[in-house]
Amino acid sequence: MPWRGVIHEPPSAPDRRRFLFLQGPISPFFARLAEDLQALGHAVHRVNLHLGDRAFWGATRSIDFTGRAEAWPDWIADFLTRHAITDLLLIGEQRPYHRIAIAAAKARGIAVIVTDYGYLRPDWITLERNGMGGESLFPRDPAEIRRLAQGLALPALKPLYSDQFATMAWRDVCYHALAQWPFPFRHYRRHQLQHPFLVYAGLARRLLLRRWEDRRSGQVFEGLKARGSPFWIFAMQLETDFAIRA
């Protein structure tokens, strides 16, 4: 997705912030966002948890965490304090490393900014304070949502960008393949339930059998409609989804 940053006047010293980036989308988005924040005069830090993180970060300086998972709570707490971090940015607040970092950040009054895959596609990258899903601060009351919407202009719904499967697939494979490389991150613990290569094998099977499975699903759907009784279709989430697991 193209990134168009808007550079304003550099902030005054009291307004300068110190951002820490942890794992982000499998794309150049976080790296480009960091470059724009630096151009605005803010300080940027990055912690890599595996080689894939390092490869997708770009030229901005970063630091590797190569210790055991048991050392992460004290290590990240010390990092937040030592660098006087004001804002923590990451993807997926339920990942084990991220849960620990968020807890340490909130204990220090650090703003937590979370993104994840999905919500509004294409064109939009959603960032939320505190967290997403069950951790979201978005109102639960429909009346409050309608009140907040009053007076707002309707969004432009014409798609500006389109997903490019080949690009996303290539980035995903490169990222997870590099994550399996042990040196120097031999103690890294992945958050996925299954090994990424097993997931790829399942996706390959799905692509090969998609037409047959879609045809079979259509037959089941038509059979349900023929009965004439009400029925519901419930959209299931992947078992690896952290919002479901949490």
Side-chain angles (χ1 to χ4, degrees):
M1 174 179 292
W3 166 252
R4 296 174 292 181
V6 180
I7 306 301
H8 304 282
E9 290 295 322
S12 59
D15 295 327
R16 291 192 184 116
R17 304 187 71 82
R18 292 167 294 280
F19 293 87
L20 171 60
F21 288 77
L22 296 183
Q23 290 181 321
I26 305 176
S27 77
F29 174 69
F30 263 19
R32 293 177 182 176
L33 177 59
E35 291 172 0
D36 278 3
L37 288 171
Q38 285 184 314
L40 285 167
H42 301 291
V44 170
H45 300 269
R46 159 74 165 201
V47 173
N48 303 311
L49 297 177
H50 57 65
L51 200 58
D53 290 341
R54 190 197 291 178
F56 275 80
W57 181 239
T60 306
R61 187 174 63 87
S62 63
I63 185 172
D64 298 336
F65 172 73
T66 59
R68 297 183 181 276
E70 293 79 9
W72 173 249
D74 290 338
W75 190 94
I76 191 61
D78 177 71
F79 188 97
L80 294 171
T81 300
R82 184 157 34 91
H83 294 280
I85 299 298
T86 60
D87 300 81
L88 174 66
L89 284 87
L90 49 83
I91 188 170
E93 75 275 4
Q94 297 299 336
R95 298 182 182 185
Y97 288 95
H98 289 176
R99 286 204 307 267
I100 293 170
I102 288 173
K106 289 182 177 180
R108 289 160 177 77
I110 297 171
V112 176
I113 305 166
V114 176
T115 187
D116 213 328
Y117 304 110
Y119 271 31
L120 303 173
R121 300 187 191 186
D123 297 343
W124 301 92
I125 294 178
T126 308
L127 299 169
E128 284 198 69
R129 287 189 177 273
N130 194 65
M132 291 189 164
E135 302 294 330
S136 176
L137 300 178
F138 197 78
R140 267 61 169 176
D141 183 4
E144 176 65 10
I145 296 173
R146 294 189 183 97
R147 186 190 68 80
L148 292 172
Q150 289 179 356
L152 295 179
L154 291 175
L157 298 179
K158 181 181 178 181
L160 299 178
Y161 312 107
S162 60
D163 292 337
Q164 297 176 341
F165 176 78
T167 300
M168 293 190 296
W170 172 249
R171 287 174 176 170
D172 196 88
V173 171
C174 289
Y175 179 82
H176 288 108
L178 288 170
Q180 310 312 309
W181 190 261
F183 183 80
F185 303 94
R186 62 184 182 276
H187 301 301
Y188 174 69
R189 295 180 182 175
R190 63 176 182 268
H191 60 272
Q192 297 96 338
L193 288 177
Q194 292 91 17
H195 193 285
F197 294 163
L198 291 177
V199 175
Y200 293 147
L203 290 173
R205 176 189 177 279
R206 168 65 177 143
L207 291 174
L208 290 172
L209 300 178
R210 180 168 56 184
R211 288 186 178 180
W212 178 80
E213 290 183 343
D214 287 349
R215 186 165 56 250
R216 184 184 63 175
S217 298
Q219 293 171 350
V220 172
F221 185 72
E222 292 300 325
L224 290 171
K225 289 198 298 182
R227 294 181 180 181
S229 300
F231 65 91
W232 292 262
I233 296 178
F234 184 78
M236 300 293 290
Q237 181 56 285
L238 296 172
E239 65 176 353
T240 54
D241 185 88
F242 269 79
I244 300 297
R245 292 168 62 184

